């Protein structure tokens, strides 16, 4: 279609249907005989009546796990349950196929001490209390017949659910970890996430295809007003996070040596985002006086620093991985190489003194990361309660949505890392570094690998070791120490990582640092970056139209509904007679994605539109025609 022409090249509209993914199902055959389908069922539809089984995949390695139950010498299909079930049958589990999955003669040597016992001849064998959780060799055929002793057509490893460790990646899990954290179906995203990403990509494609700012918009239908409102909020939250992370990456890219600290980060991200004043300033017009404008800019810089600090926490949002998971950010710590090289300083510190410089650095980084990922960080200027309240007031006074706090939002207070349990009256978020904590288990696992005297970390000796280690790092100025009331009503030490020691470094786009504390593994794991979001965060949004979503439902008042429709139409001109659009106003004030209930099917003038999206299957064909018919009017194909 030629620009400005009302003649379309195609006499029909293009319709694309996107199905929500779920599980993938296979027969038990291996190789070319295996049948694969996305359709649930009991049997493959042929004369052989082969059962089909749901498959899930290891989040650590991507290896398939077949969901099965053992019933009277047969493997029968079972559905995957992402949440661990206390009443889960002991016959429920997974069948794992592969020659190199589990080798008892080798792998038993790498398991934690609590998992094995040592015979008189020095051989490691499974501990009787853990035996049921170990892989068991199982023979089977394509019909589901199975045996632990009689060879059959195929063989694999059966593991009881819930998994306590993943043998494909050598990863250990806590008893409370849900199955959905360890394994995933082929499609585990929700409709809100799918709709948001689809809308986001469509708008980006319209931009890249050269559509005018006025025409870069999307109408999305859903069947109830609650979903429309939820979807608009979901989209705006997603765009805000993406925009911020892209700004952090761009700031690092332009920084000297690709490194920023807390004192320079806020200003650098502010310059990288290059936001017009009307996008963030909470006043009608941009100030004429430079010092007044500078006050608003500095407030936004502080706001961006707080958002960047919050983004340092451990990310459990699998559908929105952070910059570290995309290999675009590497967090390091000031002067760490120097303190690692001080052999004399570590001479009286067990475990640490037995490590070479490279291994010592990895160990200390893991400990510092543990504090940082739990948001146990300290700053007198930013993170004490009185300063947090002051910043909240400033942000609400000087900034406007989306670059400000939500109505009921409070800036998160930092947590502390403690050794002793705290009294219930203590209003501090806290995480343990005790012997049974994930940090404690990691240290014990490392101690067993470097052949330290086992008594070093037993009983109260662990408490002595961890306090000496943390205070060594405190002496090196990495930690801040204060006291809190313990469960026994005594003053006990708690610790935080000093904010000035954190360095933001530009990642190489390829290397993702593993988390050896939360994902302990006896196999060499090399996490890979999420390539989709890596490319999303690499985009430059400084010259793009600001993507904002709105909701259009019958619940809106007349004035709010008219404002919503006006912002979606965005018929704003500098010179209407010559059809010269007000690009700046359209860029910053228009609505790009409008999520609506069926109120938008008829009777509302929304102007030209190229794309309509439907989140749900409409009730009938007439509804489908009405909704799809909103696109392509007035020559928009």
């Amino acid at each position: 279609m030629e620009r400005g022409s009302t003649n379309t090249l195609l006499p029909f509209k293009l319709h694309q249907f996107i199905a929500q993914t779920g599980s993938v199902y296979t027969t038990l055959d291996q190789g070319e005989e295996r049948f694969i389908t996305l359709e649930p069922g009991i049997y493959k539809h042929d004369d052989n009546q082969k059962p089909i089984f749901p498959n899930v995949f290891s989040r650590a390695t991507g290896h398939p796990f077949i969901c099965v139950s053992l019933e009277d010498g047969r493997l029968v299909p079972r559905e995957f349950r992402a949440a661990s079930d206390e009443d889960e049958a002991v016959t429920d589990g997974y069948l794992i196929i592969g020659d190199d999955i589990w080798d008892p003669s080798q792998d038993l040597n790498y398991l934690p001490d609590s998992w094995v016992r040592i015979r008189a001849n020095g051989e490691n064998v499974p501990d009787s209390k853990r035996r049921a959780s170990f892989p068991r060799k199982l023979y089977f055929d394509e019909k589901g017949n199975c045996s632990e002793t009689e060879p059959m057509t195929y063989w694999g490893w059966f593991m009881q659910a819930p998994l306590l460790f993943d043998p494909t990646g050598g990863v250990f899990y806590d008893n409370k970890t849900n199955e959905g954290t360890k394994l995933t179906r082929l499609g585990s995203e929700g409709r809100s996430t799918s709709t948001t990403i689809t809308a986001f990509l469509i708008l980006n494609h319209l931009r890249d295809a050269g559509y005018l700012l006025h025409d870069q918009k999307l109408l999305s239908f859903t069947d109830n007003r609650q979903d429309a409102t939820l979807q608009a909020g979901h989209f705006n939250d997603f765009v805000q996070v993406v925009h911020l992370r892209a700004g952090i990456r761009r700031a690092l890219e332009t920084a000297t040596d690709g490194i920023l600290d807390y004192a320079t980060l806020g200003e650098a991200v502010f310059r990288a985002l290059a936001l017009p004043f009307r996008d963030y300033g909470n006043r009608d017009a941009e100030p004429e006086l430079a010092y007044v404008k500078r006050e608003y800019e500095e407030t936004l810089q502080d706001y961006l620093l707080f958002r960047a600090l919050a983004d340092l926490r451990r990310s459990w949002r699998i559908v929105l991985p952070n910059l570290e998971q995309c290999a675009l950010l590497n967090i390091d710590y000031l002067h760490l190489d120097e303190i690692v090289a001080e052999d004399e300083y570590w001479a009286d510190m067990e475990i640490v003194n037995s490590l070479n410089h490279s291994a010592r650095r990895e160990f200390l980084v893991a400990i510092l990361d543990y504090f940082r990922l739990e948001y146990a960080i300290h700053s007198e200027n930013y993170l004490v309660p009185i300063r947090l309240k002051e910043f909240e007031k400033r942000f609400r006074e000087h900034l406007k949505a989306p670059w400000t706090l939500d109505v009921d939002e409070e800036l998160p207070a930092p947590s502390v890392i403690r050794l002793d349990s705290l009294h219930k009256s203590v209003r501090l978020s806290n995480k343990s570094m005790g012997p049974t904590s994930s940090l404690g288990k990691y240290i014990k696992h490392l101690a067993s690998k470097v052949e330290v005297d086992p008594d070093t970390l037993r009983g109260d000796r662990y408490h002595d070791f961890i306090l000496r280690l943390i205070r060594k790092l405190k002496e090196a100025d990495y930690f801040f120490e204060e006291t809190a009331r313990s469960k026994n009503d005594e003053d006990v030490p708690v610790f935080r990582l000093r904010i000035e020691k954190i360095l933001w470094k530009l990642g190489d786009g390829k290397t993702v640092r593993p988390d050896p504390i939360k994902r302990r593994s006896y196999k060499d794991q090399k996490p890979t970056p999420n390539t989709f979001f890596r490319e999303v965060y690499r985009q430059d949004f400084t010259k793009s139209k600001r993507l904002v979503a709105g909701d259009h439902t019958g619940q809106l008042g007349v004035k709010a509904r008219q404002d919503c429709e006006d912002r979606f139409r965005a018929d704003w001109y500098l010179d209407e007679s010559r059809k010269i659009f007000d690009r700046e106003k359209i860029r910053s004030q228009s609505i790009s994605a409008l999520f609506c209930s069926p109120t938008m099917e008829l009777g509302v003038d929304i102007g030209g539109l190229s794309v309509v999206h439907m989140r749900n299957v409409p009730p009938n064909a007439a509804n489908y025609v009405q909704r799809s018919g909103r696109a392509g009017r007035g020559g928009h194909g």
Side-chain angles (χ1 to χ4, degrees):
M1 172 179 169
E2 188 175 321
R3 288 287 176 198
S5 171
T6 58
N7 298 318
T8 56
L9 180 64
L10 297 174
F12 50 83
K13 298 174 183 177
L14 299 179
H15 300 250
Q16 182 177 8
F17 299 91
I18 304 173
Q20 185 174 9
T21 53
S23 296
V24 59
Y25 299 84
T26 67
T27 58
L28 293 178
D29 301 281
Q30 302 302 305
E32 295 181 358
E33 296 297 320
R34 185 171 58 164
F35 173 71
I36 303 174
T37 180
L38 299 179
E39 298 296 328
I42 300 175
Y43 296 104
K44 177 186 174 185
H45 298 297
D46 62 12
D47 295 335
N48 294 322
Q49 292 288 291
K50 296 178 183 177
I52 59 174
F53 295 77
N55 283 231
V56 290
F57 303 90
S58 165
R59 291 195 185 274
T61 64
H63 197 93
F65 284 53
I66 304 173
C67 298
V68 300
S69 286
L70 285 174
E71 294 184 5
D72 299 325
R74 288 185 56 82
L75 292 170
V76 297
R78 72 173 182 90
E79 287 300 323
F80 175 66
R81 290 182 288 274
S84 300
D85 188 350
E86 294 182 358
D87 298 326
E88 201 149 19
V90 295
T91 56
D92 289 350
Y94 306 95
L95 184 63
I96 314 169
I97 312 300
D99 296 338
D100 58 349
I101 301 300
W102 176 252
D103 182 355
S105 64
Q106 297 293 327
D107 293 344
L108 282 173
N109 298 324
Y110 298 108
L111 296 184
D113 293 341
S114 61
W115 282 67
V116 297
R117 61 182 180 84
I118 304 175
R119 286 178 172 171
N121 61 3
E123 179 186 5
N124 284 329
V125 295
D127 183 86
S128 58
K129 296 179 181 178
R130 297 275 192 174
R131 184 179 298 276
S133 299
F134 279 76
R136 290 150 47 191
K137 192 168 186 177
L138 193 68
Y139 299 98
F140 63 94
D141 63 21
E142 67 278 7
K143 296 291 185 67
N145 300 307
C146 64
S147 172
E148 293 190 34
T149 56
E150 181 182 348
M152 294 185 179
T153 311
Y154 310 108
W155 68 273
W157 299 99
F158 174 82
M159 292 198 70
Q160 182 177 305
L163 289 176
L164 293 184
F165 80 98
D166 177 353
T168 67
V171 182
F172 299 96
Y173 298 105
D174 293 328
N175 293 335
K176 297 180 181 179
T177 303
N178 283 345
E179 295 293 89
T181 304
K182 315 163 195 174
L183 305 165
T184 180
R185 296 183 299 171
L186 179 66
S188 57
E189 75 287 347
R191 281 194 300 172
S192 293
T193 299
S194 300
T195 299
T196 288
I197 292 178
T198 300
F200 178 76
L201 291 177
I202 288 172
L203 292 169
N204 283 339
H205 285 315
L206 291 173
R207 178 200 63 200
D208 296 340
Y211 279 71
L212 299 175
L213 290 181
H214 174 267
D215 294 328
Q216 295 174 25
K217 54 191 175 185
L218 165 77
L219 183 66
S220 179
F221 281 97
T222 187
D223 277 337
N224 63 71
R225 62 193 185 192
Q226 291 86 356
D227 281 353
T229 303
L230 171 67
Q231 189 64 62
H234 191 283
F235 181 91
N236 288 332
D237 287 345
F238 174 88
V239 170
Q240 181 78 351
V241 172
V242 168
H243 204 172
L244 173 68
R245 290 175 177 172
I248 295 173
R249 185 211 62 82
R250 186 170 176 80
L252 289 170
E253 191 176 51
T254 56
T256 304
D257 298 326
I259 302 175
L260 294 167
D261 62 13
Y262 85 101
T264 57
L265 183 66
E267 182 180 1
V269 176
F270 170 79
R271 297 190 184 284
L273 290 174
L275 297 171
F277 182 86
R278 69 170 66 185
D279 281 11
Y280 66 87
N282 190 22
R283 54 179 288 166
D284 295 335
E286 185 172 338
E288 294 183 12
L289 297 173
Y291 79 90
V292 177
K293 183 179 179 181
R294 186 164 57 250
E295 185 177 358
Y296 284 84
E297 291 176 347
E298 290 172 352
T299 302
L300 179 60
Q301 291 171 23
D302 287 334
Y303 172 83
L304 294 172
L305 172 61
F306 272 101
R307 289 304 193 204
L309 287 173
D311 216 35
L312 292 180
R313 292 177 292 185
R314 179 173 286 106
S315 175
W316 296 115
R317 299 177 69 178
I318 297 169
V319 296
L320 191 55
N322 62 22
L323 290 171
E324 289 183 86
Q325 293 168 299
C326 296
L328 297 176
L329 172 64
N330 177 33
I331 295 297
D332 204 358
Y333 300 95
L334 188 65
H335 302 317
L336 189 57
D337 288 331
E338 289 91 330
I339 192 64
V340 163
E342 291 286 348
D343 292 330
E344 187 174 339
Y345 185 75
W346 298 108
D348 62 345
M349 195 71 242
E350 304 89 337
I351 300 177
V352 186
N353 58 16
S354 64
L355 301 173
N356 61 39
H357 288 179
S358 176
R360 184 181 297 166
R361 194 184 203 284
E362 288 182 12
F363 177 61
L364 296 181
V365 164
I367 293 173
L368 297 173
D369 275 351
Y370 183 73
F371 280 70
R372 189 254 305 179
L373 292 170
E374 298 296 342
Y375 204 58
I377 55 179
H378 174 76
S379 169
E380 289 289 342
N381 291 324
Y382 287 94
L383 298 175
V384 294
I386 189 170
R387 294 292 288 151
L388 289 173
K389 292 301 179 184
E390 290 173 0
F391 279 111
E392 287 174 8
K393 293 176 182 177
R394 279 184 56 204
F395 295 158
R396 289 196 167 93
E397 190 70 27
H398 287 85
L399 304 177
K400 68 179 182 181
W403 300 102
T404 190
L405 302 176
D406 292 336
V407 176
D408 298 321
E409 183 182 3
E410 296 180 349
L411 291 173
S415 59
V416 296
I417 304 297
R418 44 89 183 166
L419 187 55
D420 303 277
S421 297
L422 300 185
H423 195 276
K424 60 182 180 181
S425 64
V426 175
R427 304 300 183 189
L428 282 175
S429 173
N430 60 88
K431 196 74 173 180
S432 173
M433 59 178 177
T436 60
S437 69
S438 53
L439 175 60
K441 292 175 182 177
Y442 164 72
I443 292 174
K444 291 179 179 180
H445 180 62
L446 179 67
S448 66
K449 290 174 64 177
V450 297
E451 299 181 353
V452 171
D453 183 354
D455 289 337
T456 302
L457 299 177
R458 284 182 180 161
D460 292 339
R461 293 186 181 89
Y462 173 85
H463 290 67
D464 173 67
F465 169 85
I466 195 68
L467 276 178
R468 286 192 295 115
L469 174 61
I470 296 302
R471 282 178 171 148
K472 277 278 189 182
L473 288 168
K474 175 196 169 187
E475 183 64 26
D477 213 28
Y478 286 99
F479 291 134
F480 172 82
E481 179 179 349
E482 57 185 337
T483 59
R485 300 300 288 176
S486 73
K487 185 173 62 175
N488 298 326
D489 206 29
E490 299 173 342
D491 285 337
V492 294
V494 294
F495 300 88
R496 292 190 179 108
L497 171 68
R498 290 185 177 275
I499 191 177
E500 62 268 25
K501 292 298 182 178
I502 303 174
L503 298 177
W504 285 256
K505 291 186 175 182
L506 183 64
D508 60 9
K510 301 176 183 177
T511 308
V512 179
R513 187 161 76 214
D515 183 354
I517 293 180
K518 283 295 183 180
R519 296 188 69 171
R520 291 180 297 130
S521 173
Y522 60 84
K523 294 186 177 180
D524 185 21
Q525 277 204 79
K526 294 181 179 179
T528 56
N530 185 302
T531 55
F532 173 82
F533 280 99
R534 182 184 63 189
E535 299 312 309
V536 168
Y537 297 145
R538 279 175 169 167
Q539 293 185 41
D540 180 6
F541 294 100
T542 57
K543 295 180 176 61
S544 300
K545 179 183 181 183
R546 185 165 70 97
L547 300 183
V548 177
D551 57 293
H552 187 286
T553 69
Q555 195 172 16
L556 291 179
V558 175
K559 186 176 180 179
R561 178 177 56 79
Q562 289 177 345
D563 177 67
C564 180
E565 293 166 9
D566 289 344
R567 292 175 63 198
F568 188 65
R569 279 195 300 268
D571 290 331
W572 300 321
Y573 298 94
L574 290 173
D575 186 337
E576 188 168 358
S577 64
R578 299 169 59 189
K579 298 297 182 182
I580 299 176
F581 285 106
D582 186 343
R583 290 176 53 85
E584 185 57 32
K585 185 175 181 181
I586 293 172
R587 194 201 73 80
S588 62
Q589 297 186 35
S590 66
I591 289 176
S592 298
L594 188 60
F595 298 98
C596 59
S597 59
T599 54
M600 188 59 82
E601 285 188 15
L602 295 167
V604 180
D605 177 18
I606 55 170
L609 185 67
S610 296
V611 183
V612 166
H613 170 267
M614 298 180 215
R615 178 180 167 185
N616 308 86
V617 177
N620 54 58
N623 294 106
Y624 180 85
V625 171
Q626 291 290 355
R627 297 178 190 186
S628 63
R630 298 316 300 262
R633 299 181 182 183
H636 288 260

